[in-house]
Amino acid sequence: METSSATRSIVDALTKAIVDHRLQPGTKLAEQKLADHFGVSRTLVRQALFQLSQNRLIRLEPARGAFVAAPAVDEAKQVFAVRRMLEAEMTRAFVRTVTPAKIKALKEHVALEKSAVQGEDISGRTELLGDFHVRMAELMGNTVLAQILGELISRCALITLMYQSASAAEHSNDEHADIVKALAARDEERAVRLMTEHLEHVEANLTFDRKVPTNDISLALS
């Protein structure tokens, strides 16, 4: 097996185990155990762990090793509170500057989300569902808002990735489609209400207390 493909398969297997809650936040990922499990060198395992740390799915601690990241739930709740404030006003402003081209761009984005949800592309759907909100800001030509929203969304992306169920993701996609319809109709109040409710639903559907504990890496990855 080539080095890059071996690393990629380790990254994919660990990502799926973390997202599926077979490996819990805080679980130590011992290099030798992983090397034995995958039948590769510790060097390849180290490369995979580094990639996962770049995605913030795991954290690397000097002299202690690698651990599954433990997202801060309180931080996510604060992020959603700020997003509700910002995005209500963004939605109002979008309605006032709406054009057929902007609606077409949003509809195309919602279609991409739908195929990612249906294809069970977990990290892809998480990214696309978050990007819908950034896309609105970009289409308005407000680069500062797009940047701020992008940073806010990335701060809770790991939490959404780990704690949003497939059915909740599908629901988010449907809600985005409804928001686009309200924007196209220039129905400001409805669009704002739908956006606020949507963000409340996303937060409410994050199952923070879901636990499927296992300390056995081989069992978690099988």
Side-chain angles (χ1 to χ4, degrees):
M1 195 186 283
E2 291 180 16
T3 302
S4 59
S5 64
T7 305
R8 167 51 48 197
S9 67
I10 297 167
V11 168
D12 288 346
L14 286 171
T15 299
K16 187 156 174 37
I18 291 168
V19 170
D20 290 349
H21 304 274
R22 284 178 279 121
L23 283 172
Q24 286 297 293
T27 302
K28 183 172 172 60
L29 300 171
E31 284 181 12
Q32 191 57 57
K33 275 189 182 176
L34 289 169
D36 293 343
H37 177 82
F38 289 105
V40 297
S41 68
R42 287 179 68 164
T43 304
L44 287 184
V45 168
R46 213 166 288 136
Q47 287 174 7
L49 292 175
F50 177 74
Q51 281 187 34
L52 287 162
S53 73
Q54 296 293 98
N55 299 340
R56 289 160 63 170
L57 275 180
I58 69 163
R59 66 178 194 279
L60 297 175
E61 296 187 8
R64 289 196 68 218
F67 298 83
V68 177
V73 172
D74 284 347
E75 181 186 335
K77 290 181 175 175
Q78 289 169 20
V79 166
F80 276 106
V82 174
R83 285 184 61 189
R84 281 194 295 275
M85 296 174 213
L86 271 179
E87 295 191 50
E89 288 310 307
M90 175 179 76
T91 305
R92 286 189 196 285
F94 194 99
V95 171
R96 290 164 195 168
T97 60
V98 76
T99 64
K102 289 178 185 177
I103 294 300
K104 183 172 181 283
L106 284 181
K107 282 181 175 174
E108 286 168 357
H109 188 92
V110 170
L112 289 174
E113 292 175 2
K114 193 176 186 69
S115 61
V117 170
Q118 289 175 339
E120 297 182 359
D121 176 4
I122 298 170
S123 59
R125 84 184 182 208
T126 300
E127 191 173 343
L128 283 163
L129 288 168
D131 280 351
F132 172 83
H133 302 264
V134 179
R135 192 81 186 98
M136 280 183 67
E138 287 172 348
L139 289 166
M140 289 165 62
N142 193 326
T143 51
V144 175
L145 180 57
Q147 187 180 6
I148 289 170
L149 268 181
E151 287 169 6
L152 283 171
I153 289 162
S154 70
R155 283 179 75 169
C156 61
L158 174 59
I159 287 176
T160 309
L161 183 64
M162 290 179 68
Y163 296 103
Q164 187 176 53
S165 68
S167 60
E170 188 174 356
H171 199 52
S172 279
N173 174 240
D174 291 340
E175 289 180 343
H176 284 173
D178 288 340
I179 289 166
V180 174
K181 282 179 194 163
L183 293 171
R186 297 176 183 268
D187 189 336
E188 186 178 312
E189 291 312 311
R190 179 171 164 75
V192 171
R193 179 172 57 76
L194 287 173
M195 178 64 82
T196 303
E197 287 174 355
H198 163 61
L199 291 171
E200 286 170 351
H201 292 160
V202 174
E203 184 180 357
N205 284 320
L206 297 177
T207 49
F208 295 127
D209 56 353
R210 182 162 61 179
K211 293 250 186 297
V212 189
T214 177
N215 293 315
D216 188 325
I217 287 174
S218 293
L219 190 65
L221 292 169
S222 60

